[in-house]
Amino acid sequence: MPRLKEKYENEIKGELKQRFGIENDLAIPRLRKIVINMGVKGAVENKSRVDAAVRDMTTIAGQRPTVRLARRAIAGFKLREGMPIGCAVTLRRDRMWEFADRLISIVLPRIRDFRGVKDKLDGRGNYTLGLSEQSVFPEIDFDKIESQQGMDITFVTTAASDEQGHALLKGLGVPFQTKEA
C-alpha cells in the first residue's frame, strides 16, 4: 500500500469524519484522481516538441499520456483542427497516491523560493496547481530537456465543499501558503 494512502486510511479519514460530523464512511472526502495536463508551446511549428512532452510526461507519471488535438482551427495561431497541441494523463488508484506523495514531499520543496501553493479551490473541492517547468521532477534528466514546459496538476476529490477539499489536501500534506499579517 502506498505511504500516502496508508496515512489517509489510518489518520486523515478519521479526522475528517470527526471534524465535519460525517456519519457515512462513503461520504468522507477522498482523492478520486489526479490529472496532469501539458500544453506544448511551439507544437504548431515543431511537431517533435509534442513527442518530447509525451516522453517527459511518461517519465513523470509512470503512465503514457494521450495526445490532445486542437478542436478548432485558429488562423491567427496557424492552428488547424486536429493538430496535436498537448498531452494529458489521468492517474488513479496506487499510481495516483504514489505521484501525490512524490509531488508533495520531493517536487514542491525543490522549487526555488517556494513559499507554498495558493489555497484557491474551484468551488467543488478540487484543486489545480500550475508548475512552470518539468525540470523540478527528479526523474527528468536535465541534459535531455529540449524545451521548458509547464503543466497543470489537478487533484479531483469527492469533497462536497471547498472547506472539505482544503482539509483533505492539508491533511495529505499539500503546503498551502499561510496568510501573512
Side-chain angles (χ1 to χ4, degrees), residues 19-64:
R19 177 176 172 185
F20 295 108
I22 300 171
E23 296 189 15
N24 187 347
D25 284 351
L26 297 176
I28 299 171
R30 67 181 182 281
L31 211 52
R32 183 180 293 161
K33 63 185 174 181
I34 295 178
V35 180
I36 309 168
N37 182 31
M38 186 184 282
V40 180
K41 190 165 103 178
V44 175
E45 296 88 24
N46 192 352
K47 305 277 191 264
S48 68
R49 288 202 174 171
V50 175
D51 297 333
V54 167
R55 187 181 62 243
D56 288 347
M57 193 178 285
T58 303
T59 305
I60 291 167
Q63 179 175 314
R64 187 163 173 81

Side-chain angles (χ1 to χ4, degrees), residues 31 33-39 57 60-61 87-91 96 99-104 107-108 111 117-118 120 126-134 136-137 139 149-156 169 174 176:
L31 211 52
K33 63 185 174 181
I34 295 178
V35 180
I36 309 168
N37 182 31
M38 186 184 282
M57 193 178 285
I60 291 167
C87 55
V89 65
T90 302
L91 303 174
M96 167 190 70
F99 176 81
D101 191 19
R102 275 188 295 130
L103 180 74
I104 293 165
V107 174
L108 292 178
I111 297 173
V117 294
K118 300 214 180 325
K120 185 86 172 110
N126 304 321
Y127 180 69
T128 300
L129 159 75
L131 294 178
S132 58
E133 57 186 54
Q134 79 272 34
V136 292
F137 287 91
E139 301 90 17
Q149 240 6 92
M151 65 181 68
D152 295 323
I153 301 168
T154 303
F155 291 86
V156 180
L169 294 172
V174 176
F176 288 110

Side-chain angles (χ1 to χ4, degrees), residues 56-107:
D56 288 347
M57 193 178 285
T58 303
T59 305
I60 291 167
Q63 179 175 314
R64 187 163 173 81
T66 59
V67 174
R68 301 298 183 177
L69 306 176
R71 292 187 191 139
R72 63 178 66 100
I74 302 172
F77 295 119
K78 299 178 182 173
L79 182 66
R80 293 195 185 106
E81 187 176 339
M83 288 179 81
I85 56 170
C87 55
V89 65
T90 302
L91 303 174
R92 299 176 198 270
R93 298 184 190 88
D94 286 351
R95 197 170 279 152
M96 167 190 70
W97 289 105
E98 289 166 0
F99 176 81
D101 191 19
R102 275 188 295 130
L103 180 74
I104 293 165
S105 60
I106 298 171
V107 174

